[in-house]
Amino acid sequence: MFTFDVVPGDSVRRTLQSRRGDVLDIVARTYRSHEAGETVNPDSYFLRFPEKPDSRIIALPAFIGADVQLAGLKWISSFPRNTENGVPRASAVLVLNDYATGYPIAVLEAATISAARTAASAAVAATALRPDGYEGTRVAVVGGGVIARNICDYLHAAGCAPDAYLVHDLHEPSAQALAAHVRDTQRRPASVTGDLGTALEAETVVFATTALEPYVHRQFEAGQVVLNISLRDLAPEVILGAQNVFDDVEHCMKANTSPHLAEQLTGNRDFVSGTLAGVLNGEVKPAADRPVIFSPFGLGVLDLAVGAFALQQARADGTAVSVPDFFGETRRW
């Protein structure tokens, strides 16, 4: 009855890389479940450090009912200075709990899960917000790290086929590496620009940085789609000049995200147009007369749904590591 599995990173990585289409479907379906009230997604909890103001560890608890019936917690750290030593910024674990008993049933390496659900979220938004497709357009990616690489992979898996990619990063080797990755995996033109303004002219702009405060003050144009994945790059005035779509409005209005700054500036939420689930359900239409900005705070229910899928696959292919007698007592008496 009381089984407990550990799913290592290599198992998670191989499953998610080979099943990106499934991950896209899971993320879209989970957004709809969340919109329908079939989930519980409390606020994230931030552990910060006085001597490392750029670093944090975040706890994201969540529950999905419907056909998943699992609770869980993602515990993810972000230490940007890791990149100076060639180490990824983020590391994470995901604990899954059985809803019937509350007992933990598995722990999974979750930086891979987090990157995949973030990238799949961006790709689901990209296809929904540009329904006419990407032919004849360019995608600019601001930031050249792990999340940016995953976003490019998931855009490709979702069928987004721009004429070219443009990459901008303050660390040029990272930009060059991402451009090379796109050329190698998509056989698509990808170049690097050191000029942020040039990148911001692309029809679709993806922000995947570690920025702590806004540095983009220029307005976007009608027809541009902005995937505001890193949440803090855009000045509030830029938010106010666009149609704004969120994964969850309440979650985005905190922690001095760009939308939160816009709310503080205006004292209202009149700039909110709706959620991505609303777009998927046909209730919110992408604007033609304004740029469209998608701002996802990142919902724990997405990690939970993708993690449940990774656990299912790991058990099926034998890569889940069972830990016998993990629980010290399994009987009350």
Side-chain angles (χ1 to χ4, degrees):
M1 176 181 178
F2 296 99
T3 61
F4 187 84
D5 292 320
V6 175
V7 184
D10 186 58
S11 171
V12 175
R13 178 183 56 79
R14 285 189 285 106
T15 290
L16 299 187
Q17 285 186 352
S18 64
R19 305 288 291 272
R20 289 191 181 110
D22 291 314
V23 176
L24 288 164
D25 290 342
I26 289 168
V27 166
R29 186 166 65 247
T30 303
Y31 274 135
R32 288 190 169 100
S33 292
H34 183 64
E35 188 90 345
E38 298 172 341
T39 68
V40 180
N41 201 104
D43 286 344
S44 303
Y45 298 89
F46 287 71
L47 175 62
R48 299 187 183 277
F49 311 95
E51 296 181 358
K52 292 186 175 184
D54 62 338
S55 301
R56 62 190 185 271
I57 307 179
I58 312 172
L60 289 84
F63 165 75
I64 304 178
D67 59 345
V68 178
Q69 297 294 309
L70 286 175
L73 175 76
K74 181 175 74 171
W75 180 241
I76 182 166
S77 69
S78 175
F79 279 55
R81 295 182 188 176
N82 285 355
T83 60
E84 297 172 7
N85 299 314
V87 177
R89 170 187 60 84
S91 58
V93 294
L94 175 69
V95 179
L96 298 179
N97 294 71
D98 174 60
Y99 182 48
T101 65
Y103 270 70
I105 60 171
V107 61
L108 299 88
E109 189 281 323
T112 306
I113 292 170
S114 187
R117 68 84 152 145
T118 300
S121 170
V124 169
T127 56
L129 297 176
R130 194 178 289 288
D132 293 336
Y134 282 75
E135 184 178 354
T137 72
R138 299 159 299 160
V139 171
V141 184
V142 181
V146 172
I147 297 299
R149 184 184 74 233
N150 277 270
I151 289 172
C152 292
D153 291 340
Y154 272 88
L155 287 174
H156 184 59
C160 299
D163 287 6
Y165 277 83
L166 190 61
V167 183
H168 172 80
D169 194 297
L170 296 177
H171 184 245
E172 185 178 351
S174 295
Q176 294 288 358
L178 179 58
H181 174 77
V182 171
R183 291 193 297 267
D184 291 343
T185 58
Q186 300 189 26
R187 298 294 185 262
R188 198 174 304 283
S191 59
V192 171
T193 178
D195 178 48
L196 175 62
T198 300
L200 298 183
E201 293 173 354
E203 289 79 8
T204 302
V205 182
V206 181
F207 289 96
T209 74
T210 57
L212 298 176
E213 58 186 28
Y215 58 91
V216 175
H217 297 274
R218 62 178 282 179
Q219 294 288 344
F220 292 97
E221 302 291 336
Q224 286 187 282
V225 171
V226 180
L227 304 179
N228 183 30
I229 306 305
S230 40
L231 286 177
R232 293 173 178 84
D233 305 78
L234 307 179
E237 294 82 4
V238 178
I239 295 291
L240 296 174
Q243 180 190 37
N244 289 278
V245 176
F246 301 85
D247 58 352
D248 182 289
V249 176
E250 290 297 329
H251 282 271
C252 280
M253 299 300 180
K254 57 174 64 73
N256 286 330
T257 64
S258 295
H260 188 207
L261 295 178
E263 180 187 37
Q264 293 175 56
L265 180 65
T266 62
N268 61 61
R269 297 182 178 180
D270 293 347
F271 58 90
V272 174
S273 294
T275 64
L276 179 56
V279 177
L280 295 174
N281 291 335
E283 299 160 358
V284 177
K285 300 296 184 183
D289 59 345
R290 289 176 291 164
V292 182
I293 299 176
F294 172 58
S295 298
F297 195 76
L299 301 178
V301 290
L302 298 181
D303 298 282
L304 199 59
V306 175
F309 174 70
L311 174 61
Q312 179 186 48
Q313 296 302 309
R315 284 175 169 172
D317 65 22
T319 56
V321 180
S322 179
V323 183
D325 303 320
F326 178 81
F327 299 102
E329 294 186 69
T330 56
R331 293 187 177 277
R332 189 176 179 192
W333 301 108

Short mmCIF file of all heavy atoms in Angstrom, two decimals, residues 123-188:
data_model
loop_
_atom_site.label_atom_id
_atom_site.label_comp_id
_atom_site.label_asym_id
_atom_site.label_seq_id
_atom_site.Cartn_x
_atom_site.Cartn_y
_atom_site.Cartn_z
N ALA A 123 4.75 28.01 -25.13
CA ALA A 123 4.39 27.53 -26.46
C ALA A 123 2.87 27.45 -26.63
O ALA A 123 2.34 27.76 -27.71
CB ALA A 123 5.03 26.16 -26.70
N VAL A 124 2.16 27.04 -25.60
CA VAL A 124 0.70 27.02 -25.66
C VAL A 124 0.18 28.44 -25.89
O VAL A 124 -0.72 28.68 -26.70
CB VAL A 124 0.10 26.40 -24.38
CG1 VAL A 124 -1.42 26.62 -24.33
CG2 VAL A 124 0.41 24.91 -24.32
N ALA A 125 0.76 29.40 -25.16
CA ALA A 125 0.37 30.79 -25.34
C ALA A 125 0.71 31.29 -26.74
O ALA A 125 -0.08 32.00 -27.38
CB ALA A 125 1.03 31.67 -24.29
N ALA A 126 1.89 30.92 -27.22
CA ALA A 126 2.33 31.38 -28.55
C ALA A 126 1.36 30.95 -29.64
O ALA A 126 1.02 31.74 -30.53
CB ALA A 126 3.74 30.87 -28.84
N THR A 127 0.93 29.72 -29.59
CA THR A 127 0.01 29.23 -30.62
C THR A 127 -1.38 29.84 -30.47
O THR A 127 -2.05 30.14 -31.46
CB THR A 127 -0.10 27.70 -30.58
OG1 THR A 127 -0.49 27.28 -29.26
CG2 THR A 127 1.23 27.04 -30.92
N ALA A 128 -1.81 30.06 -29.22
CA ALA A 128 -3.14 30.61 -28.99
C ALA A 128 -3.21 32.10 -29.34
O ALA A 128 -4.24 32.58 -29.84
CB ALA A 128 -3.56 30.40 -27.54
N LEU A 129 -2.13 32.83 -29.10
CA LEU A 129 -2.14 34.28 -29.29
C LEU A 129 -1.75 34.71 -30.70
O LEU A 129 -1.92 35.87 -31.06
CB LEU A 129 -1.21 34.94 -28.27
CG LEU A 129 -1.61 34.74 -26.80
CD1 LEU A 129 -0.58 35.35 -25.87
CD2 LEU A 129 -3.00 35.33 -26.52
N ARG A 130 -1.21 33.78 -31.49
CA ARG A 130 -0.94 34.06 -32.90
C ARG A 130 -1.57 32.92 -33.72
O ARG A 130 -0.88 32.08 -34.29
CB ARG A 130 0.56 34.17 -33.16
CG ARG A 130 0.88 34.80 -34.52
CD ARG A 130 2.38 34.96 -34.74
NE ARG A 130 2.99 35.98 -33.93
CZ ARG A 130 2.83 37.30 -34.12
NH1 ARG A 130 2.07 37.73 -35.11
NH2 ARG A 130 3.42 38.17 -33.34
N PRO A 131 -2.90 32.90 -33.78
CA PRO A 131 -3.58 31.76 -34.40
C PRO A 131 -3.33 31.61 -35.90
O PRO A 131 -3.54 30.53 -36.45
CB PRO A 131 -5.07 32.04 -34.11
CG PRO A 131 -5.13 33.50 -33.88
CD PRO A 131 -3.84 33.88 -33.22
N ASP A 132 -2.88 32.68 -36.55
CA ASP A 132 -2.59 32.58 -37.98
C ASP A 132 -1.22 31.97 -38.28
O ASP A 132 -0.86 31.81 -39.45
CB ASP A 132 -2.67 33.97 -38.63
CG ASP A 132 -4.09 34.52 -38.63
OD1 ASP A 132 -5.04 33.70 -38.58
OD2 ASP A 132 -4.26 35.75 -38.64
N GLY A 133 -0.49 31.63 -37.24
CA GLY A 133 0.79 30.96 -37.43
C GLY A 133 1.97 31.92 -37.49
O GLY A 133 1.82 33.14 -37.40
N TYR A 134 3.15 31.36 -37.71
CA TYR A 134 4.41 32.10 -37.59
C TYR A 134 5.15 32.28 -38.91
O TYR A 134 6.23 32.87 -38.93
CB TYR A 134 5.30 31.42 -36.56
CG TYR A 134 4.84 31.75 -35.16
CD1 TYR A 134 3.71 31.16 -34.62
CD2 TYR A 134 5.50 32.70 -34.41
CE1 TYR A 134 3.25 31.50 -33.36
CE2 TYR A 134 5.07 33.05 -33.15
CZ TYR A 134 3.95 32.45 -32.62
OH TYR A 134 3.49 32.80 -31.38
N GLU A 135 4.57 31.81 -39.99
CA GLU A 135 5.21 32.00 -41.29
C GLU A 135 5.34 33.49 -41.60
O GLU A 135 4.40 34.27 -41.40
CB GLU A 135 4.42 31.31 -42.39
CG GLU A 135 5.07 31.37 -43.76
CD GLU A 135 4.29 30.63 -44.82
OE1 GLU A 135 3.29 29.96 -44.47
OE2 GLU A 135 4.66 30.73 -46.00
N GLY A 136 6.53 33.91 -42.04
CA GLY A 136 6.76 35.30 -42.36
C GLY A 136 7.08 36.18 -41.17
O GLY A 136 7.12 37.40 -41.30
N THR A 137 7.31 35.56 -40.01
CA THR A 137 7.61 36.34 -38.80
C THR A 137 8.95 35.91 -38.22
O THR A 137 9.51 34.88 -38.58
CB THR A 137 6.53 36.15 -37.72
OG1 THR A 137 6.63 34.83 -37.16
CG2 THR A 137 5.14 36.36 -38.30
N ARG A 138 9.42 36.72 -37.27
CA ARG A 138 10.65 36.39 -36.52
C ARG A 138 10.31 36.25 -35.05
O ARG A 138 9.40 36.93 -34.54
CB ARG A 138 11.68 37.51 -36.69
CG ARG A 138 12.16 37.76 -38.12
CD ARG A 138 12.74 39.16 -38.22
NE ARG A 138 11.72 40.17 -37.90
CZ ARG A 138 12.00 41.41 -37.54
NH1 ARG A 138 13.26 41.81 -37.43
NH2 ARG A 138 11.01 42.27 -37.27
N VAL A 139 11.04 35.39 -34.37
CA VAL A 139 10.95 35.26 -32.92
C VAL A 139 12.27 35.72 -32.32
O VAL A 139 13.33 35.20 -32.68
CB VAL A 139 10.67 33.80 -32.49
CG1 VAL A 139 10.79 33.66 -30.97
CG2 VAL A 139 9.28 33.36 -32.95
N ALA A 140 12.21 36.71 -31.44
CA ALA A 140 13.39 37.17 -30.72
C ALA A 140 13.34 36.62 -29.30
O ALA A 140 12.30 36.66 -28.64
CB ALA A 140 13.46 38.69 -30.69
N VAL A 141 14.46 36.09 -28.84
CA VAL A 141 14.56 35.55 -27.49
C VAL A 141 15.56 36.40 -26.72
O VAL A 141 16.72 36.51 -27.10
CB VAL A 141 15.01 34.08 -27.50
CG1 VAL A 141 15.02 33.52 -26.08
CG2 VAL A 141 14.09 33.24 -28.39
N VAL A 142 15.09 37.01 -25.64
CA VAL A 142 15.95 37.83 -24.78
C VAL A 142 16.31 36.99 -23.57
O VAL A 142 15.46 36.69 -22.73
CB VAL A 142 15.24 39.13 -24.36
CG1 VAL A 142 16.17 39.98 -23.49
CG2 VAL A 142 14.80 39.92 -25.59
N GLY A 143 17.56 36.58 -23.50
CA GLY A 143 18.02 35.62 -22.49
C GLY A 143 18.40 34.33 -23.18
O GLY A 143 17.63 33.83 -24.02
N GLY A 144 19.56 33.80 -22.85
CA GLY A 144 20.04 32.62 -23.56
C GLY A 144 20.31 31.42 -22.69
O GLY A 144 21.18 30.61 -23.00
N GLY A 145 19.55 31.26 -21.61
CA GLY A 145 19.80 30.18 -20.67
C GLY A 145 18.97 28.94 -20.92
O GLY A 145 18.43 28.72 -22.01
N VAL A 146 18.85 28.12 -19.87
CA VAL A 146 18.16 26.83 -19.95
C VAL A 146 16.69 27.02 -20.31
O VAL A 146 16.15 26.29 -21.16
CB VAL A 146 18.30 26.07 -18.62
CG1 VAL A 146 17.43 24.82 -18.62
CG2 VAL A 146 19.76 25.70 -18.37
N ILE A 147 16.03 27.98 -19.66
CA ILE A 147 14.61 28.19 -19.95
C ILE A 147 14.41 28.63 -21.39
O ILE A 147 13.51 28.15 -22.09
CB ILE A 147 14.02 29.24 -18.99
CG1 ILE A 147 14.07 28.73 -17.54
CG2 ILE A 147 12.58 29.57 -19.38
CD1 ILE A 147 13.28 27.47 -17.29
N ALA A 148 15.27 29.52 -21.86
CA ALA A 148 15.17 29.98 -23.25
C ALA A 148 15.34 28.82 -24.23
O ALA A 148 14.61 28.72 -25.22
CB ALA A 148 16.22 31.06 -23.52
N ARG A 149 16.29 27.95 -23.96
CA ARG A 149 16.51 26.80 -24.83
C ARG A 149 15.27 25.91 -24.86
O ARG A 149 14.83 25.45 -25.93
CB ARG A 149 17.72 25.99 -24.35
CG ARG A 149 18.06 24.83 -25.29
CD ARG A 149 19.20 24.01 -24.73
NE ARG A 149 18.78 23.18 -23.61
CZ ARG A 149 19.36 23.16 -22.41
NH1 ARG A 149 20.38 23.95 -22.16
NH2 ARG A 149 18.91 22.38 -21.46
N ASN A 150 14.69 25.66 -23.69
CA ASN A 150 13.49 24.84 -23.63
C ASN A 150 12.32 25.49 -24.34
O ASN A 150 11.51 24.81 -25.00
CB ASN A 150 13.13 24.54 -22.16
CG ASN A 150 13.90 23.38 -21.58
OD1 ASN A 150 13.47 22.23 -21.66
ND2 ASN A 150 15.06 23.67 -21.01
N ILE A 151 12.19 26.80 -24.23
CA ILE A 151 11.10 27.49 -24.92
C ILE A 151 11.24 27.31 -26.43
O ILE A 151 10.26 27.02 -27.13
CB ILE A 151 11.08 28.98 -24.54
CG1 ILE A 151 10.62 29.15 -23.10
CG2 ILE A 151 10.16 29.77 -25.48
CD1 ILE A 151 10.73 30.56 -22.56
N CYS A 152 12.45 27.46 -26.95
CA CYS A 152 12.65 27.25 -28.39
C CYS A 152 12.28 25.83 -28.79
O CYS A 152 11.65 25.61 -29.84
CB CYS A 152 14.10 27.56 -28.77
SG CYS A 152 14.54 29.30 -28.61
N ASP A 153 12.65 24.85 -27.97
CA ASP A 153 12.32 23.46 -28.26
C ASP A 153 10.80 23.24 -28.29
O ASP A 153 10.27 22.54 -29.16
CB ASP A 153 12.95 22.53 -27.22
CG ASP A 153 14.46 22.46 -27.34
OD1 ASP A 153 15.01 22.82 -28.41
OD2 ASP A 153 15.11 22.06 -26.34
N TYR A 154 10.11 23.84 -27.32
CA TYR A 154 8.66 23.64 -27.24
C TYR A 154 7.91 24.45 -28.29
O TYR A 154 6.85 24.03 -28.76
CB TYR A 154 8.15 23.93 -25.83
CG TYR A 154 8.22 22.71 -24.95
CD1 TYR A 154 9.36 22.40 -24.22
CD2 TYR A 154 7.15 21.82 -24.88
CE1 TYR A 154 9.43 21.27 -23.43
CE2 TYR A 154 7.20 20.67 -24.10
CZ TYR A 154 8.35 20.40 -23.38
OH TYR A 154 8.42 19.27 -22.61
N LEU A 155 8.43 25.60 -28.67
CA LEU A 155 7.81 26.32 -29.79
C LEU A 155 7.85 25.45 -31.04
O LEU A 155 6.86 25.37 -31.79
CB LEU A 155 8.55 27.64 -30.03
CG LEU A 155 8.33 28.75 -29.00
CD1 LEU A 155 9.24 29.94 -29.31
CD2 LEU A 155 6.87 29.20 -28.97
N HIS A 156 8.98 24.81 -31.25
CA HIS A 156 9.12 23.92 -32.41
C HIS A 156 8.14 22.75 -32.31
O HIS A 156 7.47 22.40 -33.29
CB HIS A 156 10.56 23.42 -32.48
CG HIS A 156 10.86 22.57 -33.67
ND1 HIS A 156 10.70 23.00 -34.96
CD2 HIS A 156 11.31 21.28 -33.75
CE1 HIS A 156 11.04 22.04 -35.80
NE2 HIS A 156 11.40 20.98 -35.08
N ALA A 157 8.05 22.15 -31.12
CA ALA A 157 7.14 21.01 -30.93
C ALA A 157 5.69 21.42 -31.12
O ALA A 157 4.86 20.60 -31.56
CB ALA A 157 7.33 20.43 -29.53
N ALA A 158 5.37 22.68 -30.82
CA ALA A 158 3.99 23.16 -30.96
C ALA A 158 3.67 23.59 -32.39
O ALA A 158 2.54 24.01 -32.67
CB ALA A 158 3.75 24.33 -30.01
N GLY A 159 4.65 23.51 -33.28
CA GLY A 159 4.41 23.86 -34.67
C GLY A 159 4.63 25.31 -35.01
O GLY A 159 4.25 25.76 -36.10
N CYS A 160 5.22 26.07 -34.09
CA CYS A 160 5.56 27.47 -34.38
C CYS A 160 6.80 27.48 -35.26
O CYS A 160 7.88 27.07 -34.83
CB CYS A 160 5.83 28.24 -33.08
SG CYS A 160 4.42 28.28 -31.96
N ALA A 161 6.65 27.95 -36.48
CA ALA A 161 7.73 27.87 -37.47
C ALA A 161 8.03 29.25 -38.03
O ALA A 161 7.65 29.58 -39.17
CB ALA A 161 7.35 26.91 -38.59
N PRO A 162 8.73 30.09 -37.27
CA PRO A 162 9.07 31.42 -37.78
C PRO A 162 10.12 31.32 -38.88
O PRO A 162 10.81 30.32 -39.02
CB PRO A 162 9.64 32.12 -36.54
CG PRO A 162 10.20 31.01 -35.71
CD PRO A 162 9.27 29.86 -35.92
N ASP A 163 10.25 32.40 -39.63
CA ASP A 163 11.28 32.43 -40.66
C ASP A 163 12.68 32.45 -40.06
O ASP A 163 13.63 31.95 -40.68
CB ASP A 163 11.10 33.66 -41.55
CG ASP A 163 9.90 33.54 -42.48
OD1 ASP A 163 9.16 32.54 -42.35
OD2 ASP A 163 9.70 34.45 -43.31
N ALA A 164 12.81 33.03 -38.85
CA ALA A 164 14.13 33.13 -38.23
C ALA A 164 14.00 33.44 -36.75
O ALA A 164 12.97 33.96 -36.29
CB ALA A 164 14.97 34.22 -38.90
N TYR A 165 15.05 33.09 -36.01
CA TYR A 165 15.18 33.45 -34.60
C TYR A 165 16.28 34.51 -34.47
O TYR A 165 17.27 34.51 -35.22
CB TYR A 165 15.57 32.24 -33.76
CG TYR A 165 14.43 31.35 -33.34
CD1 TYR A 165 13.94 30.37 -34.20
CD2 TYR A 165 13.85 31.47 -32.09
CE1 TYR A 165 12.91 29.54 -33.82
CE2 TYR A 165 12.80 30.66 -31.70
CZ TYR A 165 12.34 29.68 -32.56
OH TYR A 165 11.31 28.87 -32.19
N LEU A 166 16.10 35.36 -33.46
CA LEU A 166 17.09 36.36 -33.11
C LEU A 166 17.31 36.25 -31.60
O LEU A 166 16.34 36.22 -30.84
CB LEU A 166 16.59 37.75 -33.48
CG LEU A 166 17.56 38.92 -33.41
CD1 LEU A 166 18.74 38.71 -34.35
CD2 LEU A 166 16.82 40.22 -33.76
N VAL A 167 18.56 36.19 -31.16
CA VAL A 167 18.86 35.98 -29.75
C VAL A 167 19.66 37.16 -29.21
O VAL A 167 20.63 37.61 -29.84
CB VAL A 167 19.65 34.68 -29.52
CG1 VAL A 167 19.89 34.45 -28.02
CG2 VAL A 167 18.92 33.48 -30.14
N HIS A 168 19.25 37.64 -28.05
CA HIS A 168 19.99 38.70 -27.37
C HIS A 168 20.26 38.27 -25.93
O HIS A 168 19.34 37.83 -25.23
CB HIS A 168 19.19 40.01 -27.35
CG HIS A 168 19.81 41.08 -26.50
ND1 HIS A 168 20.86 41.86 -26.93
CD2 HIS A 168 19.52 41.49 -25.23
CE1 HIS A 168 21.20 42.71 -25.98
NE2 HIS A 168 20.40 42.51 -24.94
N ASP A 169 21.49 38.39 -25.50
CA ASP A 169 21.86 38.10 -24.11
C ASP A 169 23.07 38.95 -23.76
O ASP A 169 23.97 39.13 -24.61
CB ASP A 169 22.18 36.60 -23.93
CG ASP A 169 22.24 36.19 -22.45
OD1 ASP A 169 23.12 36.70 -21.73
OD2 ASP A 169 21.42 35.37 -22.04
N LEU A 170 23.12 39.46 -22.54
CA LEU A 170 24.27 40.25 -22.12
C LEU A 170 25.55 39.42 -22.11
O LEU A 170 26.65 39.96 -22.24
CB LEU A 170 24.02 40.83 -20.71
CG LEU A 170 22.87 41.83 -20.60
CD1 LEU A 170 22.67 42.25 -19.15
CD2 LEU A 170 23.10 43.03 -21.49
N HIS A 171 25.38 38.10 -21.96
CA HIS A 171 26.50 37.18 -22.01
C HIS A 171 26.53 36.57 -23.42
O HIS A 171 25.79 35.64 -23.72
CB HIS A 171 26.34 36.10 -20.94
CG HIS A 171 27.49 35.15 -20.85
ND1 HIS A 171 27.38 33.81 -21.14
CD2 HIS A 171 28.79 35.35 -20.50
CE1 HIS A 171 28.54 33.21 -20.97
NE2 HIS A 171 29.42 34.12 -20.58
N GLU A 172 27.37 37.12 -24.29
CA GLU A 172 27.32 36.74 -25.70
C GLU A 172 27.53 35.24 -25.93
O GLU A 172 26.85 34.66 -26.79
CB GLU A 172 28.35 37.52 -26.52
CG GLU A 172 28.23 37.22 -28.01
CD GLU A 172 29.19 38.02 -28.86
OE1 GLU A 172 29.83 38.94 -28.32
OE2 GLU A 172 29.30 37.72 -30.06
N PRO A 173 28.42 34.55 -25.19
CA PRO A 173 28.55 33.10 -25.42
C PRO A 173 27.24 32.35 -25.21
O PRO A 173 26.96 31.38 -25.92
CB PRO A 173 29.61 32.68 -24.40
CG PRO A 173 30.45 33.91 -24.20
CD PRO A 173 29.47 35.04 -24.27
N SER A 174 26.41 32.80 -24.26
CA SER A 174 25.11 32.16 -24.05
C SER A 174 24.21 32.39 -25.26
O SER A 174 23.49 31.48 -25.70
CB SER A 174 24.44 32.71 -22.79
OG SER A 174 25.19 32.37 -21.64
N ALA A 175 24.22 33.61 -25.78
CA ALA A 175 23.42 33.91 -26.97
C ALA A 175 23.87 33.07 -28.15
O ALA A 175 23.05 32.51 -28.90
CB ALA A 175 23.52 35.40 -27.29
N GLN A 176 25.17 32.97 -28.34
CA GLN A 176 25.70 32.18 -29.45
C GLN A 176 25.33 30.70 -29.30
O GLN A 176 24.99 30.03 -30.29
CB GLN A 176 27.23 32.33 -29.53
CG GLN A 176 27.71 33.73 -29.88
CD GLN A 176 27.46 34.11 -31.33
OE1 GLN A 176 26.96 33.31 -32.13
NE2 GLN A 176 27.82 35.34 -31.69
N ALA A 177 25.37 30.20 -28.07
CA ALA A 177 25.04 28.79 -27.83
C ALA A 177 23.57 28.52 -28.15
O ALA A 177 23.23 27.50 -28.76
CB ALA A 177 25.35 28.41 -26.39
N LEU A 178 22.69 29.44 -27.77
CA LEU A 178 21.27 29.24 -28.05
C LEU A 178 20.99 29.32 -29.54
O LEU A 178 20.24 28.50 -30.09
CB LEU A 178 20.42 30.27 -27.30
CG LEU A 178 18.91 30.17 -27.54
CD1 LEU A 178 18.38 28.80 -27.15
CD2 LEU A 178 18.17 31.28 -26.79
N ALA A 179 21.60 30.27 -30.22
CA ALA A 179 21.40 30.38 -31.67
C ALA A 179 21.89 29.11 -32.37
O ALA A 179 21.22 28.60 -33.29
CB ALA A 179 22.13 31.60 -32.21
N ALA A 180 23.02 28.59 -31.93
CA ALA A 180 23.54 27.35 -32.52
C ALA A 180 22.60 26.19 -32.26
O ALA A 180 22.38 25.33 -33.13
CB ALA A 180 24.93 27.06 -31.97
N HIS A 181 22.03 26.15 -31.07
CA HIS A 181 21.08 25.09 -30.72
C HIS A 181 19.86 25.13 -31.66
O HIS A 181 19.42 24.08 -32.14
CB HIS A 181 20.64 25.24 -29.27
CG HIS A 181 19.56 24.29 -28.86
ND1 HIS A 181 19.80 22.96 -28.58
CD2 HIS A 181 18.22 24.46 -28.69
CE1 HIS A 181 18.68 22.35 -28.26
NE2 HIS A 181 17.69 23.24 -28.32
N VAL A 182 19.32 26.31 -31.89
CA VAL A 182 18.17 26.43 -32.78
C VAL A 182 18.53 25.99 -34.20
O VAL A 182 17.78 25.25 -34.85
CB VAL A 182 17.63 27.88 -32.77
CG1 VAL A 182 16.58 28.07 -33.87
CG2 VAL A 182 17.05 28.22 -31.41
N ARG A 183 19.69 26.43 -34.67
CA ARG A 183 20.11 26.03 -36.02
C ARG A 183 20.28 24.52 -36.12
O ARG A 183 19.88 23.90 -37.12
CB ARG A 183 21.42 26.74 -36.39
CG ARG A 183 21.28 28.25 -36.60
CD ARG A 183 22.52 28.83 -37.27
NE ARG A 183 23.72 28.67 -36.44
CZ ARG A 183 24.17 29.58 -35.58
NH1 ARG A 183 23.50 30.73 -35.42
NH2 ARG A 183 25.27 29.37 -34.88
N ASP A 184 20.85 23.91 -35.07
CA ASP A 184 21.12 22.47 -35.11
C ASP A 184 19.85 21.63 -34.98
O ASP A 184 19.72 20.59 -35.63
CB ASP A 184 22.09 22.09 -33.97
CG ASP A 184 23.48 22.65 -34.19
OD1 ASP A 184 23.80 23.04 -35.33
OD2 ASP A 184 24.26 22.70 -33.21
N THR A 185 18.91 22.07 -34.13
CA THR A 185 17.74 21.24 -33.84
C THR A 185 16.56 21.53 -34.74
O THR A 185 15.72 20.66 -34.99
CB THR A 185 17.31 21.43 -32.38
OG1 THR A 185 17.02 22.82 -32.14
CG2 THR A 185 18.40 20.96 -31.42
N GLN A 186 16.45 22.77 -35.23
CA GLN A 186 15.30 23.15 -36.06
C GLN A 186 15.67 23.38 -37.52
O GLN A 186 14.76 23.56 -38.35
CB GLN A 186 14.64 24.41 -35.49
CG GLN A 186 14.11 24.26 -34.08
CD GLN A 186 13.27 25.45 -33.65
OE1 GLN A 186 12.68 26.14 -34.48
NE2 GLN A 186 13.20 25.69 -32.35
N ARG A 187 16.97 23.41 -37.81
CA ARG A 187 17.42 23.72 -39.17
C ARG A 187 16.79 25.04 -39.64
O ARG A 187 16.33 25.16 -40.77
CB ARG A 187 17.07 22.59 -40.13
CG ARG A 187 17.73 21.26 -39.78
CD ARG A 187 19.25 21.37 -39.95
NE ARG A 187 19.90 20.08 -39.73
CZ ARG A 187 20.48 19.71 -38.58
NH1 ARG A 187 20.45 20.54 -37.55
NH2 ARG A 187 21.06 18.55 -38.47
N ARG A 188 16.80 26.02 -38.72
CA ARG A 188 16.16 27.30 -38.98
C ARG A 188 17.18 28.41 -38.76
O ARG A 188 18.02 28.31 -37.86
CB ARG A 188 14.97 27.47 -38.03
CG ARG A 188 13.96 28.52 -38.45
CD ARG A 188 12.76 28.49 -37.50
NE ARG A 188 12.16 27.18 -37.42
CZ ARG A 188 11.36 26.66 -38.34
NH1 ARG A 188 11.06 27.35 -39.43
NH2 ARG A 188 10.84 25.46 -38.18
#
